Amino acid sequence: MSVVTVEIEGVPLHLAHPDELAVNWVGQEEVMRQLLAAWLVVDPQDLPMNPRLIGKPGVGKTTLAYAAAKRLGRDVYIMQATVDTRPEDLIVQPVIEGASQLRYVASPLLSAVIRGGVAVLDEGNRMSEKSWASLAPLLDTRRYVESVVAGIKIKAHAQFRLVTTMNDDASTFDLPEYIHSRLQPQILIDFPERDEEYQILRENLPFAEERILQYVTDFLQLAHAAEERYTVRDGINVARFAIKLGSLATDRIHQSAALEMAVVQVLGEEALRYARRNRPSTS
Ligand SMILES: Nc1ncnc2c1ncn2[C@@H]1O[C@H](COP(=O)(O)OP(=O)(O)OP(=O)(O)O)[C@@H](O)[C@H]1O
Ligand SMILES: [Mg+2]
């Protein structure tokens, strides 16, 4: 892919490429509707909001953010936040080029700001207040960011949208109120209903046998009812490993054992209590 460069206030910036994921959002239309609503602009005086997707690891936060942006036909720029993300990482980074040349590289977030794409600031709860603070003007009525490194101020494209995802159980930083109030509304992704969960598994594992999909759906539904933390991602991993183990197995018994073995090796012994036993039933 060729490098895209734009010039802002006389400074050439190299832009990031948008992300392409091979995922389709299945079911769970209500959270999709909430996210699209938050981004809507209903009047020339109106502004889009910056929603926060909240849920357990693996419930589908990143997938929803991506799929919603794609429904709008926009390019998506995913930026992974970590405890080490510094303010400059979010905006512009200088890269040394040749002997005495500096090149300015726009972050995925800034690339979305400039191109009018959708920025997904993934796992935003891991990022420090200092880094969030540098985005404050972007997240309110001002809609601009400043790069200290490049010495420029960048106004957001009218089509620019932002969403951040946060795990509800691993908040590394407690964000201060002024950041909180800029990241609204909060959209909670919960465990899906049985039929939706089955459809999600099938979408992600189109090559899986029906028996495996049913087994994993049963497992997840029992675990959800017990308020366990296992999510559809865990289910996908269990099914994937069971299929691999099964493909090396020589007989039917081994194939059944493969599912239990996959549960134990992916999630641990304690997860077996939610697994349907494959032994002949005595009742
Ligand atoms: N409604 C859905 N439709 C299709 N796939 C889904 C859906 N929900 C979850 N998935 C699948 O579940 C897996 C986990 O989703 P995802 O990575 O989006 O979770 P996450 O909430 O972002 O997790 P983390 O907090 O660890 O980043 C992915 O493989 C995704 O394709
Ligand atoms: Mg994610």
Side-chain angles (χ1 to χ4, degrees):
M1 274 191 266
S2 60
V3 177
V4 179
T5 311
V6 294
E7 204 175 281
I8 293 181
E9 296 180 353
V11 178
L13 286 178
H14 289 243
L15 300 187
H17 290 294
D19 289 282
E20 290 295 338
L21 304 183
V23 288
N24 280 317
W25 186 249
V26 176
Q28 295 174 292
E29 274 304 314
E30 179 54 24
V31 282
M32 171 65 84
R33 200 175 65 85
Q34 291 170 9
L35 176 52
L36 293 174
W39 281 338
L40 214 60
V41 172
V42 298
D43 183 272
Q45 313 249 0
D46 190 23
L47 285 174
M49 298 175 82
N50 311 299
R52 195 176 344 167
L53 302 183
I54 298 172
K56 298 205 161 37
V59 284
K61 298 181 295 298
T62 308
T63 306
L64 174 62
Y66 180 85
K70 281 291 161 181
R71 273 206 201 173
L72 297 178
R74 303 287 171 73
D75 278 340
V76 189
Y77 297 81
I78 302 177
M79 179 137 197
Q80 186 69 41
T82 74
V83 289
D84 299 321
T85 301
R86 296 160 305 159
E88 314 88 84
D89 300 332
L90 293 170
I91 306 170
V92 173
Q93 283 196 297
V95 174
I96 295 165
E97 199 179 47
S100 57
Q101 278 271 37
L102 262 192
R103 177 159 64 116
Y104 292 110
V105 179
S107 72
L109 171 68
L110 184 65
S111 302
V113 167
I114 293 170
R115 303 301 296 259
V118 173
V120 179
L121 197 43
D122 221 359
E123 318 234 359
N125 54 302
R126 294 180 198 281
M127 202 164 80
S128 69
E129 175 187 349
K130 196 170 168 219
S131 294
W132 273 112
S134 67
L135 299 182
L138 182 66
L139 303 175
D140 60 34
T141 52
R142 293 172 283 176
R143 286 181 56 90
Y144 69 73
V145 273
E146 273 172 305
S147 163
V148 180
V149 190
I152 52 173
K153 184 163 151 179
I154 306 114
K155 184 126 193 49
H157 189 291
Q159 306 282 0
F160 168 68
R161 297 291 183 274
L162 180 138
V163 57
T164 184
T165 75
M166 296 191 178
N167 287 338
D168 65 359
D169 59 347
S171 257
T172 316
F173 291 101
D174 272 326
L175 296 177
E177 191 47 40
Y178 75 98
I179 297 298
H180 250 256
S181 66
R182 283 172 167 83
L183 297 173
Q184 300 293 355
Q186 302 179 57
I187 299 172
L188 185 75
I189 310 187
D190 211 343
F191 298 129
E193 300 294 327
R194 189 180 202 290
D195 182 53
E196 282 185 340
E197 192 139 59
Y198 168 81
Q199 298 296 342
I200 295 168
L201 289 169
R202 213 174 64 164
E203 168 72 23
N204 284 274
L205 301 159
F207 47 87
E209 275 176 46
E210 183 60 26
R211 166 182 80 82
I212 290 178
L213 295 176
Q214 291 294 346
Y215 178 98
V216 175
T217 307
D218 289 345
F219 169 83
L220 287 172
Q221 289 292 312
L222 270 180
H224 300 336
E227 286 177 44
E228 277 285 357
R229 64 186 194 287
Y230 307 128
T231 55
V232 68
R233 180 191 289 134
D234 298 312
I236 293 171
N237 284 336
V238 167
R240 210 186 277 287
F241 191 42
I243 293 166
K244 292 179 198 302
L245 284 172
S247 80
L248 289 182
T250 46
D251 55 40
R252 189 79 200 165
I253 312 273
H254 275 87
Q255 294 239 350
S256 295
L259 274 161
E260 272 182 33
M261 195 180 284
V263 169
V264 172
Q265 288 188 254
V266 173
L267 301 172
E269 200 81 48
E270 68 276 12
L272 264 189
R273 80 182 75 153
Y274 306 109
R276 192 203 315 140
R277 316 306 294 216
N278 281 300
R279 320 244 150 73
S281 153
T282 48
S283 60

